[in-house]
Amino acid sequence: MSKRYKRLLSVIISIVLLAGIATAVGAVDIFSLKNSEQAAMASDSDTIILRVCNWEEYIDTGDWDEAIELDSGEMKGENSIVKDFEDWYYQIYGKKVVVEYSTVGTNEELYNMLTLGDEYDLICPSEYMIMKLMAEGWLEPFSEQFFDKNVTENYYTRGVSPFIRSTFDENTINGEAWSRYAAGYMWGITGIVYNPEEVTEEEASTWKIISNDKFKRQITIKDNVRDSMFAAVGAIKSDKLLSSSFLNAADYKERLSAEMNDTSEETIEQIQEYLQAVKDNAYSFETDSAKADMITGKVVAGYQWSGDAVYTMDQAEKDDFYLDFAVPRESTNLYFDGWCMLKNGIKDSEEKKQAAEGFINFLSKPENAVRNMDYIGYTSVISGGDSPVVYDYIKWNYGAEDGGEDTVTYPLGYFFSGDTEDKKYMLTVPAEQTHRQLSAQYPTEEMIERSAVMSYFDTEENARINQMWINVRCYNIENVPVWAWIVTGLVIAGLIVLAVRKHFKKKVYIK
């Protein structure tokens, strides 16, 4: 069969697969917000309906069993944070708001929903989708009022981490900063959760572990193209990324970003070949199951987002099973999820825009940032500004007991004040936390230095990497050996001959 026909068949398979994915897309409501009281509110012509779409299990739903008792005060989530927002907004602005809250599973599902006509006022995409939506003109810019630090209720601009603020200010799309259209929610890095009884820290501190046949069928990898591609780039370019000339370059950060976002045809071919080998070596490509697989000991290592890594280590520790976290030496993915307003939802409504910005600000109140972190396990972008609540929460979780042995000083100034040497944010912690939950939730500045943000890819680049992923996860028709095509052709020919014979036998019988 000619390459032209093989490629045509490959395209058909791709279209069928993508069509199947598209039909599975949909939002799932997680809050029942239509009780009698809210229904009455919604019938009021003065009520603002705010349509919010977020990730699954990514906000505090209330009903806490125990309170968080910090030096700065006690907090407990009795209601969902959505319900608390509705009450707060009415108290502050004298306007009734009903939140229609929905969830989605992936950035791609969210984008498909938007292109199919679903309308939301406020969404929470990841960094590369924020870039895509900015580039395509979907997003409504924040009001000037939102950035006014003199407004008490502007908890986001008053309390966002200096590190996060500079990241959102310095990264641009078409000359406009992310911060004009996106407010951070949660952030983190990626790395390897591993069983230190089976895997050494050195073995876990490289992306090459996912293809290390010493751990055949004992490692998990992420089942999405961008995360798996990032790991593959780190592995195939490991020697270059770790070379002294590369590490000591004056423009190291710019070079690292360019290498980790390389979508050239040559690199994509190498990534495909590498991931196909990983597919044979890994226990599974997964989205959520690796947490249970690590806790039960089915696998010895897994590629994880930092929030899931913290959850996995916490749950394993309850059974006296201790797992560690390593950040690959080559690079780690610095990821963000951020709140964005949609033009087709806001539709020039000042009331709706104020409600959307109010929702972001309410979630950014330090006490609410802590509630959300405690519930979902990920790290809020909020440091708290003048409020000590967030730092107290970290001390409550990770601070060493007075007189404890084997402790170290863990600097967090880069996140809280912008100064790594700030003595106010030098936290004394058990030494083990330098490679466990604390290092996952609040990586050191050295780890951040070797991080890269995944970029927005254009249409041609996306087509290239999506086809690569289909080839890896499904079937690469281009690599089918000649003998297989011959056998397939003979089988098809045989079926045709049988069909023709049956056809003529039927005609003779009838005659």
Side-chain angles (χ1 to χ4, degrees), residues 111 127-138 456 462:
Y111 185 77
E127 68 295 317
Y128 72 91
M129 187 56 66
I130 291 172
M131 291 184 252
K132 180 177 178 65
L133 294 172
M134 280 183 64
E136 295 180 0
W138 288 85
Y456 152 67
N462 271 320

Side-chain angles (χ1 to χ4, degrees), residues 51 119-122 342-349 352:
R51 297 162 297 182
E119 291 188 358
Y120 298 101
D121 305 309
L122 194 62
L342 288 164
K343 283 182 180 178
N344 66 354
I346 299 299
K347 293 178 179 172
D348 297 324
S349 168
K352 187 160 282 196

Side-chain angles (χ1 to χ4, degrees), residues 352-373:
K352 187 160 282 196
K353 188 169 183 175
Q354 184 183 59
E357 293 178 346
F359 187 82
I360 296 169
N361 278 320
F362 185 73
L363 296 188
S364 301
K365 191 174 182 180
E367 293 80 2
N368 294 332
V370 166
R371 282 179 58 184
N372 280 328
M373 280 196 288

Side-chain angles (χ1 to χ4, degrees), residues 324-471:
D324 286 353
F325 182 74
V327 178
R329 294 184 297 273
E330 296 92 357
S331 179
T332 179
N333 173 29
L334 183 64
Y335 65 82
F336 303 92
D337 294 315
W339 293 106
C340 303
M341 296 181 293
L342 288 164
K343 283 182 180 178
N344 66 354
I346 299 299
K347 293 178 179 172
D348 297 324
S349 168
E350 291 301 320
E351 280 195 339
K352 187 160 282 196
K353 188 169 183 175
Q354 184 183 59
E357 293 178 346
F359 187 82
I360 296 169
N361 278 320
F362 185 73
L363 296 188
S364 301
K365 191 174 182 180
E367 293 80 2
N368 294 332
V370 166
R371 282 179 58 184
N372 280 328
M373 280 196 288
D374 197 73
Y375 181 80
I376 69 176
Y378 279 76
T379 307
S380 172
V381 302
I382 299 301
S383 61
D386 295 332
S387 169
V389 170
V390 177
Y391 188 67
D392 282 353
Y393 176 69
I394 301 174
K395 287 194 294 183
W396 181 72
N397 268 313
Y398 303 116
E401 295 181 4
D402 292 340
E405 298 180 359
D406 197 16
T407 62
V408 297
T409 300
Y410 199 89
L412 289 168
Y414 81 92
F415 183 80
F416 283 91
S417 67
D419 178 10
T420 304
E421 304 301 322
D422 192 337
K423 293 182 179 180
K424 183 179 178 181
Y425 299 108
M426 293 286 185
L427 184 61
T428 301
V429 301
E432 65 174 18
Q433 281 300 331
T434 60
H435 52 263
R436 301 200 71 235
Q437 290 95 327
L438 177 58
S439 66
Q441 194 160 26
Y442 288 93
T444 64
E445 192 169 32
E446 183 273 329
M447 294 174 186
I448 296 295
E449 188 62 25
R450 63 176 189 268
S451 69
V453 176
M454 280 194 287
S455 297
Y456 152 67
F457 299 139
D458 62 27
T459 302
E460 182 179 339
E461 290 172 316
N462 271 320
R464 190 154 54 238
I465 67 173
N466 287 337
Q467 183 58 57
M468 174 274 294
W469 186 241
I470 290 171
N471 292 343

Side-chain angles (χ1 to χ4, degrees), residues 38-315:
Q38 288 166 324
M41 288 171 61
S43 64
D44 190 330
S45 60
D46 291 334
T47 297
I48 302 166
I49 306 299
L50 186 66
R51 297 162 297 182
V52 177
C53 189
N54 194 9
W55 305 118
E56 297 164 357
E57 300 179 349
Y58 214 45
I59 200 168
D60 176 25
T61 58
D63 297 322
W64 286 23
D65 294 326
E66 299 179 4
I68 297 175
E69 297 180 357
L70 309 179
D71 292 343
S72 47
E74 178 184 292
M75 64 189 68
K76 186 174 182 180
E78 296 180 357
N79 303 314
S80 75
I81 215 159
V82 170
K83 176 64 170 65
D84 284 346
F85 160 72
E86 292 171 340
D87 295 340
W88 173 83
Y89 195 83
Y90 185 75
Q91 292 171 6
I92 297 298
Y93 298 102
K95 290 283 186 179
K96 295 178 181 177
V97 173
V98 170
V99 176
E100 292 182 354
Y101 190 96
S102 300
T103 63
V104 70
T106 70
N107 284 288
E108 288 66 34
E109 286 178 15
L110 173 63
Y111 185 77
N112 286 338
M113 288 162 60
L114 297 180
T115 57
L116 290 171
D118 287 22
E119 291 188 358
Y120 298 101
D121 305 309
L122 194 62
I123 58 175
C124 190
S126 301
E127 68 295 317
Y128 72 91
M129 187 56 66
I130 291 172
M131 291 184 252
K132 180 177 178 65
L133 294 172
M134 280 183 64
E136 295 180 0
W138 288 85
L139 304 183
E140 173 78 14
F142 290 116
S143 66
E144 294 301 322
Q145 173 83 358
F146 181 74
F147 300 102
D148 188 347
K149 291 184 178 181
N150 294 316
V151 177
T152 303
E153 291 76 28
N154 281 353
Y155 295 108
Y156 179 79
T157 198
R158 289 160 59 93
V160 66
S161 161
F163 161 65
I164 302 295
R165 184 193 302 278
S166 64
T167 300
F168 273 59
D169 284 345
E170 292 167 8
N171 282 278
T172 63
I173 291 292
N174 297 333
E176 293 193 284
W178 291 0
S179 54
R180 190 76 182 91
Y181 294 88
Y185 182 47
M186 299 288 163
W187 73 284
I189 58 173
T190 54
I192 304 295
V193 177
Y194 67 99
N195 179 352
E197 298 295 322
E198 304 289 342
V199 182
T200 68
E201 183 177 7
E202 183 178 358
E203 289 169 331
S205 299
T206 173
W207 289 118
K208 290 182 177 181
I209 189 175
I210 63 177
S211 59
N212 188 336
D213 58 11
K214 176 182 176 181
F215 309 112
K216 191 173 180 67
R217 302 299 184 194
Q218 297 182 82
I219 296 176
T220 60
I221 187 171
K222 285 298 165 197
D223 193 12
N224 70 74
V225 61
R226 293 184 69 96
D227 284 317
S228 292
M229 176 180 159
F230 189 95
V233 171
I236 63 179
K237 296 191 176 190
S238 180
D239 291 343
K240 180 177 184 178
L241 297 174
L242 296 177
S243 66
S244 58
S245 59
F246 189 86
L247 291 171
N248 296 322
D251 56 348
Y252 166 73
K253 289 292 288 185
E254 290 77 10
R255 289 191 183 189
L256 181 64
S257 178
E259 292 294 344
M260 298 309 295
N261 286 286
D262 182 3
T263 59
S264 64
E265 291 186 10
E266 179 184 0
T267 298
I268 294 300
E269 287 178 7
Q270 291 177 316
I271 291 171
Q272 178 175 310
E273 182 179 347
Y274 182 78
L275 289 178
Q276 284 171 332
V278 168
K279 186 177 178 181
D280 293 332
N281 193 65
Y283 175 80
S284 69
F285 280 67
E286 58 77 43
T287 300
D288 196 55
S289 60
K291 291 180 285 187
D293 291 336
M294 283 296 306
I295 294 166
T296 57
K298 286 184 179 179
V299 296
V300 299
Y303 177 9
Q304 286 287 10
W305 302 300
S306 53
D308 282 355
V310 171
Y311 173 86
T312 303
M313 288 183 280
D314 283 346
Q315 294 302 308

